């Protein structure tokens, strides 16, 4: 069958999709019963564990301590029984390698008993520690072959859960993945370490503000996930979507997102059915999903959870991505998490909402309504401003991927310049603290810390700036530069660590300035805020981040503008970064170097795969279609000439010109592929960025020109129109 036949069939199949029969009845299973039904959470533990064991485990979870090994056997037995009651035959240590994906190693509970029978076995050791034979995960050189093995260790703070499959269920145990030498090989370990650093430093500030024993401070996180849905038949008829996650070719559709008629519009039925099913699955897994809506681009949607503490939010975010993908298949669709599946149409990001929480003091980024709370809030706020200002390049580096490069700075996502949006009110307060400014129109006099009350800050979403990469939104910050398919671990580890380090600095300054005398706190805070604002105020920007004027202004202010991932990734091992992570004991130099190496390799690999897919598609699908059309046209022209008409000649010329161009550019791309011999990771990535990518862009231009010319019945690939508007 010809390619165009496949496209036709895919379109037919897509338009005749039959609704999936309802899988469940929300009137029979209330959301309350559903929520966490598949989680070995505190209520199940309380019910199934002896009281002292339960207490010891809670203690471990709440204090973030190591698990008492004597407790592990008891917990393992209870967990196994609970899982088997729910149909589990296997258990899996789930871990999060540097690829940003989720990896699982499955083992059966059953072991032969020697009498021809089998017994279910799962002890504390199997719970606490596993050994994935996984030397092929990227480690950026951390594991040489002789120490190729790492082990996975249960993260007690993230509960085990059951993953359902029509043919059986699996007990999943979230784990950290470490080398035998103790180095973090994964994305979870650094999150846990960074949370400890943050906790240590934030408590010092709370103590300065008069609470001698504030208890644990945690980062709270809610990540809004954007994604596209495309019919599965059409998806599989696009090898570029299948292998690269994005379209490498495709002319602009006659109608794109110009009309903005999709944004927050009514959700199509099939999509709504999919969303409900996703939410159902996520509820069972204890993931608190809350909102759903259409996004800006056609076929683009968003799902957002209620925030949770950072570690759990990270694991749940991974589960959310998996669930979106799995459930989409059941509804005859493919869920695209790529940052830029379609060129010329908005891409997908992941807005990471971030705040700090303490059980006694609540949300620490809530300004509060009295001078004491205001002062404390301003200190946390200043710590964050200072952190972003000092480590803007690092923050850019942790969102640096080949995919995200297509989105950042493209007038749909924040620019690659990292700045902070505070809003006019808060900026004015900070700028006036400790100065003798003229009376402002809004207030009678500059605010005195610890004496005056902050003016009410706007809470209205309408006042927000959507173009800022890092925006204060009433009682939390929102990091908007994160890519849709990325693990949120990297961004969180970095935020936790740079903020911890800044809090460390501020706490030391305040401790020194007050000399332990609480009476001197307000004055010391006032002086410190003044200094932080003077030194780091240039990172604050409340205007339009998409504008060209800002790019120039940012350059004048000396803010780094790292346009590509390859420009940005070296910040992972800059002296400032290494010193920061070592000071806060989150990552060692070796661990940072290994990450940089692994991410550069991933960058090169991503572009290489794309280039290979582009070559194959252009050579074996697009060029043949164009040649077929060219032949038809040539035949036609010959026949028309016999009757004295030359009308089609111009078209034949044009098609021929692009066919030639396509072939030249195919060769150019082919010839560009090999990086310089012996190139190290950075040089290789740089080659893919500056040589291979432009060659791909050029090839695409010729192909898209042909798509606009070749007869539609000969065009083999589903078009943008079909991918985006059939649902
Ligand atoms: P908005 O009006 O800014 O959209 P929402 O309350 O709808 O605010 O929250 C948007 C996202 O921010 C949600 O995922 C939510 O869980 C998260 N969020 C809200 N408060 C916090 C917080 N204190 N810490 C972390 N994330 C938060
Ligand atoms: Mg959004």
């Amino acid at each position: 069958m010809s390619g165009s036949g496949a496209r036709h069939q895919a379109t037919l199949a897509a338009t005749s999709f039959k609704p999936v029969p309802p899988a469940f009845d929300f009137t029979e299973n209330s959301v309350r019963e559903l929520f966490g039904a598949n989680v070995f959470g505190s209520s199940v533990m309380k019910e199934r564990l002896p009281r002292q064991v339960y207490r010891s485990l809670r203690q471990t979870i709440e204090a973030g301590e190591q698990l008492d090994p004597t407790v592990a056997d008891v917990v393992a037995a209870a967990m196994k029984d609970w899982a088997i009651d729910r149909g589990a035959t296997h258990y899996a240590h789930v871990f999060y390698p540097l690829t940003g994906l989720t990896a699982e190693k499955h083992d059966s509970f059953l072991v032969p008993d020697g009498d021809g029978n089998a017994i279910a076995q799962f002890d504390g050791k199997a719970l606490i520690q596993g050994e994935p034979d996984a030397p092929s995960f990227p480690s950026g050189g951390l594991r040489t072959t002789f120490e190729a093995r790492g082990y996975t260790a249960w993260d007690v703070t993230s509960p085990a859960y059951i993953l359902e499959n029509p043919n059986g269920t699996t007990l999943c145990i979230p784990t950290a993945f470490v080398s035998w030498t103790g180095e973090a090989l994964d994305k979870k370990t650094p999150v846990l370490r960074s949370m400890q650093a943050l906790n240590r430093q934030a408590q010092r500030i709370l103590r300065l503000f008069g609470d001698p024993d504030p208890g644990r401070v945690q980062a709270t996180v809610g990540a809004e996930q954007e994604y596209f849905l495309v019919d599965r038949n059409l998806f599989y008829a696009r090898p570029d979507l299948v292998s690269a996650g994005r379209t490498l070719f495709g002319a602009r559709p006659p109608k794109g997102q110009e009309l903005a008629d999709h944004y927050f519009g009514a959700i199509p039925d099939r999509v709504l059915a999919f969303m409900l099913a996703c939410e159902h699955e996520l509820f069972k897994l204890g993931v608190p999903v809350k909102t759903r809506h259409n996004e800006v681009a056609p076929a683009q949607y968003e799902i957002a959870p209620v925030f949770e503490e950072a570690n759990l939010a990270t694991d749940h975010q991974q589960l959310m991505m998996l669930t979106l993908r799995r459930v989409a298949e059941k509804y005859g669709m493919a869920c695209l998490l790529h940052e830029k599946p379609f060129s010329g149409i908005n891409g997908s990001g992941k807005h990471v909402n971030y705040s700090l929480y303490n059980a006694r003091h609540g949300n620490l980024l809530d300004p509060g309504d009295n001078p004491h709370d205001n002062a404390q809030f301003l200190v946390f706020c200043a710590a964050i401003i200072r952190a972003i200002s000092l480590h803007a390049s690092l923050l850019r580096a942790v969102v640096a991927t080949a995919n995200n490069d297509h989105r950042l700075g493209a007038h749909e996502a924040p620019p690659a310049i990292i700045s902070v949006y505070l809003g006019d009110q808060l900026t004015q307060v900070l700028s006036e603290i400790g100065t003798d400014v003229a009376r402002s129109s809004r207030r009678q006099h500059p605010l005195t810390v610890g004496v005056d009350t902050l003016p009410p800050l706007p809470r209205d979403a309408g006042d927000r700036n959507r173009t800022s990469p890092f925006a204060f939104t009433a009682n939390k910050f929102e990091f908007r530069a994160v890519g849709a398919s990325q693990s949120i671990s990297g961004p969180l580890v970095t935020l936790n660590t740079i903020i911890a380090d800044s809090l460390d600095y501020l706490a030391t300054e305040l401790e020194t300035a007050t000399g332990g005398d609480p009476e001197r706190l307000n004055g010391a805070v006032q002086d410190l805020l003044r200094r932080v604002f003077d030194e780091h105020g240039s990172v604050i920007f409340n205007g339009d981040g998409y504008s060209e004027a800002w790019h120039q202004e940012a350059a004048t202010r000396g803010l780094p503008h790292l346009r590509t991932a390859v420009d940005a990734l070296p910040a992972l091992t800059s002296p400032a970064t290494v010193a920061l992570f070592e000071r806060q004991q989150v990552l060692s130099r070796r661990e940072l170097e290994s990450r940089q190496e692994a991410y550069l390799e991933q960058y090169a690999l991503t572009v290489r795969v794309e280039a290979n897919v582009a070559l194959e598609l252009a050579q074996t699908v697009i060029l043949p279609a164009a040649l077929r059309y060219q032949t038809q046209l040539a035949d036609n022209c010959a026949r028309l000439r016999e009757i004295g008409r030359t009308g089609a000649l111009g078209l034949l010329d044009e098609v021929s010109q692009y066919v030639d161009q396509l072939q030249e550019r195919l060769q150019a791309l082919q010839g560009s592929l090999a990086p310089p011999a012996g190139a190290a990771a950075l040089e290789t990535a740089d080659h893919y960025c500056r040589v291979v990518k432009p060659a791909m862009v050029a090839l695409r231009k010729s192909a898209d020109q042909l798509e606009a010319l070749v007869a539609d019945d000969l065009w083999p690939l589903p078009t943008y129109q079909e991918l985006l508007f059939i649902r």
Side-chain angles (χ1 to χ4, degrees), residues 224 226 293 295 302 351:
E224 305 165 56
E226 293 177 339
H293 61 79
E295 260 300 327
E302 180 182 294
H351 294 175

Side-chain angles (χ1 to χ4, degrees), residues 260-522:
D261 50 358
H262 176 70
Y263 195 33
F264 280 85
I267 301 171
D269 260 357
R270 175 175 173 191
V271 173
L272 187 56
F274 152 83
M275 286 175 169
L276 288 164
C278 271
E279 288 162 14
H280 184 90
E281 291 307 315
L282 289 167
F283 280 155
K284 282 195 284 190
L285 294 167
V287 182
V289 278
K290 184 153 167 259
T291 59
R292 49 167 111 110
H293 61 79
N294 290 356
E295 260 300 327
V296 176
Q300 191 187 28
Y301 307 92
E302 180 182 294
I303 179 168
V306 176
F307 64 92
E308 301 177 280
E309 61 86 16
N311 179 40
L312 208 53
T314 311
D315 289 0
H316 282 170
Q317 223 291 305
Q318 296 292 116
L319 267 178
M320 185 181 279
M321 290 196 282
L322 278 179
T323 306
L324 288 169
R325 286 205 168 106
R326 281 192 182 133
V327 175
E329 283 185 29
K330 289 195 196 143
Y331 287 79
M333 298 184 287
C335 174
L336 311 180
L337 295 174
H338 194 287
E339 282 71 3
K340 192 76 178 173
F342 304 99
S343 93
I345 283 165
N346 272 17
S348 301
K350 186 140 54 194
H351 294 175
V352 175
N353 294 273
Y354 180 96
S355 192
L356 305 175
Y357 176 82
N358 169 269
R360 286 160 61 94
H361 300 270
N363 181 351
L364 301 178
L365 293 181
D366 192 324
D369 46 22
N370 60 65
H372 178 271
D373 287 353
N374 289 169
Q376 184 184 294
F377 157 75
L378 288 171
V379 168
F380 280 104
C381 206
I384 293 179
I385 293 164
R386 181 179 176 276
I388 307 294
S389 157
L390 284 176
H391 301 287
S393 299
L394 172 62
L395 217 51
R396 168 68 183 92
V398 294
V399 296
T401 64
N403 298 352
N404 213 15
D405 272 4
H406 295 287
R407 179 181 156 262
L408 292 182
H411 284 257
E412 52 166 283
I417 307 162
I418 301 290
S419 63
V420 179
Y421 168 86
L422 284 186
D424 293 337
Q425 207 107 349
L426 189 52
T427 309
Q428 192 181 355
V429 169
L430 277 171
S431 70
E432 288 176 359
I433 284 173
T435 61
D436 294 322
V437 290
R439 298 178 168 225
S440 81
S441 54
R442 293 177 218 209
R443 278 191 320 280
Q444 291 308 303
H445 59 89
L447 181 133
T448 308
V449 172
V451 176
D452 296 326
T453 309
L454 277 182
L457 302 175
R459 287 185 168 268
D460 176 17
D463 279 338
R464 292 195 196 147
N465 180 320
R466 305 258 158 215
T467 67
S468 172
F470 199 79
F472 183 65
T473 55
N475 59 4
K476 62 187 188 305
F477 279 92
E478 188 172 343
F479 187 24
R480 304 213 183 93
V482 183
S485 69
Q486 256 193 285
S487 157
I488 59 172
S489 157
L492 290 183
V493 169
T494 300
L495 285 175
N496 289 345
T497 310
I498 62 179
I499 293 169
D501 199 55
S502 239
L503 290 169
D504 186 354
Y505 168 84
L506 264 60
T508 305
E509 292 291 299
L510 291 175
E511 284 158 5
T512 313
T514 58
D517 177 2
E519 295 291 313
R520 284 154 69 181
L521 181 67
N522 287 336

Side-chain angles (χ1 to χ4, degrees), residues 153-284:
W154 181 33
D155 166 17
V156 195
T157 60
S158 186
Y161 56 91
I162 280 181
L163 212 54
E164 294 177 16
N165 177 283
N167 291 336
T169 69
T170 305
L171 171 67
C172 293
I173 303 156
T175 61
F177 181 30
V178 221
S179 79
W180 286 108
T181 49
E183 276 150 334
L185 297 171
D186 67 344
K187 294 208 164 243
K188 178 186 268 293
T189 310
V191 173
L192 296 171
R193 292 184 193 156
S194 70
M195 285 167 61
Q196 283 173 7
L198 183 70
N199 176 34
R200 271 194 300 273
Q201 304 305 335
Q203 288 202 34
R204 285 173 66 195
I205 302 287
L206 293 180
R207 270 185 236 119
L208 276 161
F209 276 90
D211 184 345
D213 187 17
R216 192 147 172 252
V217 175
Q218 329 171 13
T220 51
V221 176
E224 305 165 56
Q225 173 78 54
E226 293 177 339
Y227 60 93
F228 280 85
L229 290 172
V230 166
D231 184 274
R232 236 164 94 79
N233 298 288
L234 298 168
F235 172 80
Y236 281 111
R238 291 284 314 214
D240 46 358
L241 276 182
V242 174
S243 304
R246 72 178 178 106
T247 52
L248 299 170
F249 300 101
R252 287 225 178 180
K255 177 185 165 188
Q257 65 190 44
E258 302 84 0
L259 296 177
D261 50 358
H262 176 70
Y263 195 33
F264 280 85
I267 301 171
D269 260 357
R270 175 175 173 191
V271 173
L272 187 56
F274 152 83
M275 286 175 169
L276 288 164
C278 271
E279 288 162 14
H280 184 90
E281 291 307 315
L282 289 167
F283 280 155
K284 282 195 284 190

Side-chain angles (χ1 to χ4, degrees), residues 606-619:
T606 305
V607 181
R608 194 168 74 213
V609 167
E610 286 183 348
N612 284 330
V613 176
L615 281 171
E616 186 176 301
L617 257 182
Q619 180 70 48

